[in-house]
Amino acid sequence: MPRHKPSRRHVIATAGGLAAATILRWPADAAEFTYKFGASSPMEHPAMAHTQIAADKIKQETNGRMEIAIYPSSQLGGDTAMIAQTISGAIQMYLLPVDLLAPRNPVMGITGTGFAFKDYEIVWAAMDGDLGKMLRDASEKIGFYCLEKGYDHGFRQITTRTKPINNPVDLQGFKIRLPVAPALIALFRHLGASPTALNFSEVYSALQTGVVDGQENPLVLIDTAKLYEVQKYCSLTNHVWAGFHVSFNIPAWKKLPPDLQETVTKVFTAEALAEREDFVTMTKSEQQNLSSKGLTFNAPDNKPFRDALTKSGFYADMKKTMGDAGWALLEKYTGPLG
């Protein structure tokens, strides 16, 4: 009988096993530091894929001294729970959306200022510059050490079960799920919507059961979390940009020797920059991909939304909430808002 030709996947898996056996020669219990890494995003998200790559590289480059165990998809609890766990040290690492720290310090929600970022050039100038430094410094006072280079989570779009969103009138009384992020909640209230704040782990069921009629997230997450199964329309509003930072419980970070801190920083920096490129590439194909899965797209003009926010006093309220110093740093990159 002819022999079966091994599949490419089998060859790769076998090669990987041989490499682990012949090159990475530490015993399974040899790690000096075993850190739990919590996240709400699924492993299919580019940020999580690159976190896995980083974890593997760190284990190899430290000769097994540091192992990072990744818990995606809210396995350790919703974001609110993981924030508390990271501060307490119950988990050592967390994929932090800094805007979720706004209940503890309002300025953390500044990236949720509606229609502030026009494109990625402005986003990364701000986040890799003084605005990002301000947010990382503020995070540290709350209990998180954030690595400098953040991951991209994309521009957020609105999905709905009942109708496309073409203008602010379509949002009047609309039941929309939002993260527990005060700036985003304020944004949609000023646009006349009826927000419900829920952790991401609860979103699918809330959409499925009609607790809410819509939600907003980047296209990549709408796909990887399969929200297209319980939504019909997607309106490309680009209302807010979102990102993640790889963060540490501060004592857990300080516990790492300087050489491990240097390796962790180097590896995650490289993976963050690679993730940004992958995220943009993935987003470009998502509209067609999601259309094939049943979502109907529209691209509304942003100007009526910005005008409605200015008229309602949203930008004036945000400036007051964020403080003059934080607002000045935002407008340094975005130009005058409102």
Side-chain angles (χ1 to χ4, degrees):
M1 289 180 65
R3 296 176 64 187
H4 291 291
K5 185 178 179 181
S7 69
R8 180 173 180 270
R9 179 180 294 179
H10 176 76
V11 171
I12 291 171
T14 303
L18 288 172
T22 57
I23 300 171
L24 311 179
R25 294 177 179 171
W26 55 83
D29 59 352
E32 293 175 47
F33 302 94
T34 301
Y35 281 6
K36 289 183 179 179
F37 187 114
S40 59
S41 297
M43 286 306 297
E44 293 81 2
H45 192 291
M48 297 308 297
H50 282 276
T51 294
Q52 183 65 66
I53 293 169
D56 293 342
K57 286 182 178 178
I58 288 166
K59 183 174 180 177
Q60 184 168 1
E61 291 190 21
T62 63
N63 199 29
R65 290 172 64 201
M66 183 173 186
E67 291 188 11
I68 299 170
I70 299 170
Y71 295 84
S73 302
S74 301
Q75 289 178 17
L76 300 179
D79 283 300
T80 304
M82 286 189 285
I83 286 170
Q85 289 177 70
T86 308
I87 291 172
S88 73
I91 59 178
Q92 295 78 34
M93 300 176 68
Y94 169 54
L95 191 65
L96 172 68
V98 293
D99 59 322
L100 296 192
L101 297 182
R104 298 170 186 264
N105 181 347
V107 81
M108 302 306 296
I110 199 165
T111 58
T113 302
F115 305 99
F117 297 113
K118 295 182 177 66
D119 54 39
Y120 276 117
E121 184 177 355
I122 295 173
V123 164
W124 296 124
M127 296 307 293
D128 291 341
D130 292 338
L131 184 70
K133 184 178 186 306
M134 177 198 70
L135 293 171
R136 292 190 298 276
D137 289 347
S139 297
E140 192 159 357
K141 291 177 182 176
I142 294 170
F144 296 84
Y145 175 79
C146 293
L147 299 181
E148 181 180 345
K149 299 297 183 186
Y151 288 136
D152 187 15
H153 188 37
F155 285 90
R156 301 176 81 95
Q157 321 297 349
I158 301 172
T159 67
T160 75
R161 181 173 56 88
T162 53
K163 62 182 179 182
I165 304 301
N166 288 301
N167 53 60
V169 174
D170 292 327
L171 286 171
Q172 294 299 311
F174 184 75
K175 294 190 297 182
I176 186 168
R177 174 270 171 181
L178 297 174
V180 188
L184 264 178
I185 294 168
L187 167 64
F188 278 91
R189 279 188 178 147
H190 275 269
L191 289 170
S194 179
T196 297
L198 297 170
N199 281 306
F200 188 72
S201 55
E202 303 171 69
V203 172
Y204 188 98
S205 61
L207 294 169
Q208 188 176 41
T209 58
V211 171
V212 292
D213 290 322
Q215 64 85 54
E216 50 79 64
N217 260 302
L219 294 182
V220 169
L221 192 60
I222 292 166
D223 188 11
T224 56
K226 300 183 178 181
L227 300 186
Y228 54 83
E229 294 178 348
V230 287
Q231 297 282 266
K232 185 174 181 182
Y233 302 99
C234 183
S235 302
L236 299 171
T237 50
N238 292 314
H239 51 277
V240 164
W241 172 83
F244 297 124
H245 276 82
V246 173
S247 70
F248 287 77
N249 161 270
I250 292 175
W253 172 255
K254 290 181 176 178
K255 190 176 178 182
L256 296 176
D259 61 324
L260 289 190
Q261 290 182 351
E262 184 179 345
T263 298
V264 166
T265 302
K266 179 194 73 173
V267 170
F268 270 110
T269 296
E271 292 309 315
L273 296 176
E275 188 269 354
R276 294 177 188 184
E277 293 184 12
D278 285 355
F279 198 95
V280 170
T281 300
M282 195 169 172
T283 299
K284 286 179 180 176
S285 63
E286 279 293 11
Q287 185 173 341
Q288 182 176 351
N289 184 30
L290 286 165
S291 293
S292 71
K293 294 175 179 179
L295 273 187
T296 299
F297 283 84
N298 68 300
D301 181 7
N302 285 344
K303 189 175 184 303
F305 294 90
R306 289 195 301 267
D307 290 346
L309 290 172
T310 300
K311 185 176 180 181
S312 74
F314 171 75
Y315 294 111
D317 286 355
M318 286 290 284
K319 181 178 181 179
K320 185 177 179 182
T321 301
M322 301 303 158
D324 290 344
W327 196 255
L329 278 179
L330 178 64
E331 290 193 329
K332 172 182 176 180
Y333 300 99
T334 64
L337 295 167

